[in-house]
Amino acid sequence: MKLKLPPVLVFVIFSILMYVLSLVLPFGDFEFFGRNVLILFLFGIGVLVGLITLIQFYNAKTSIDPRTPSKTTDLVTDGLYKFSRNPMYLALLMVLLAWGLWLGNAFNVLLAAGFVRYMNKFQIIAEERALSALYGKAYQHYCTQVRRWF
C-alpha cells in the first residue's frame, strides 16, 4: 500500500487551508443562531468518536497506523465499527466541520468536502484493498453490512 501522508497530517493540511481561506476570501462570512452550540456539538462528538475508536484499537491490540496494514492483527467490527467502517476519519471530519463553522466562512464546506474526497480516493480505497487481502471474505462481508462513512 502506497500511502504517502498520515491521515492526521491530511487533517492538519485541510485545517490550515480552511484558515487561509477564511483570511483571504472577502466574502462568504456567515453567522446564525445556535452556531456556537453546533460547533461545540460537532467538536465534542468528533473528539469522543475519535477517542472511542482509538480505545477500541488499543483493546484489540492492533495498529492504528493505516500506512502499515501488515501490522494489523485484528479486524475491528464491533462498537462504533458496526455503524461506520471509518469512524476515525468521520471523527476528523466532524472536528474539521466544527473548525470551519468557528472560522465562519461558508466556503470552508467545500474544503471539508475536499477532505472527504481526498480520504476516499487516496486513503480509504487503498486501506480497503489491503484489508481485503488480509481478511478476505470476512472483510468483504463486513463491507456489505457497514457503510464507508455513516
Side-chain angles (χ1 to χ4, degrees):
M1 189 158 73
K2 302 272 185 187
L3 299 175
K4 308 222 185 315
L5 299 175
V8 172
L9 182 58
V10 174
F11 167 80
V12 168
I13 290 168
F14 274 89
S15 297
I16 292 168
L17 289 172
M18 286 179 148
Y19 178 72
V20 170
L21 179 78
S22 70
L23 291 178
V24 300
L25 200 62
F27 53 88
D29 292 345
F30 67 91
E31 180 67 51
F32 60 88
F33 178 77
R35 179 174 143 215
N36 290 335
V37 172
L38 183 56
I39 291 168
L40 289 173
F41 176 77
L42 286 170
F43 181 79
I45 294 295
V47 169
L48 184 63
V49 166
L51 288 174
I52 289 171
T53 55
L54 289 174
I55 290 168
Q56 282 186 260
F57 269 49
Y58 176 78
N59 288 339
K61 296 176 178 53
T62 192
S63 173
I64 64 167
D65 187 354
R67 297 171 302 154
T68 55
S70 59
K71 292 183 181 178
T72 302
T73 59
D74 191 23
L75 180 61
V76 179
T77 60
D78 58 343
L80 293 176
Y81 287 87
K82 287 182 182 178
F83 308 102
S84 171
R85 294 196 315 254
N86 298 288
M88 286 186 198
Y89 302 150
L90 184 58
L92 293 176
L93 176 62
M94 286 189 272
V95 172
L96 201 61
L97 289 170
W99 173 241
L101 283 170
W102 187 79
L103 292 170
N105 190 298
F107 290 96
N108 277 326
V109 172
L110 297 174
L111 286 172
F115 173 78
V116 171
R117 171 96 169 111
Y118 179 92
M119 294 305 288
N120 278 333
K121 185 171 183 174
F122 297 106
Q123 185 71 40
I124 293 172
I125 290 172
E127 280 181 33
E128 288 175 346
R129 277 192 220 117
L131 290 171
S132 187
L134 280 171
Y135 296 105
K137 288 186 181 190
Y139 182 72
Q140 292 165 5
H141 176 72
Y142 172 67
C143 288
T144 64
Q145 302 300 309
V146 179
R147 295 174 59 106
R148 186 177 274 166
W149 284 86
F150 51 86

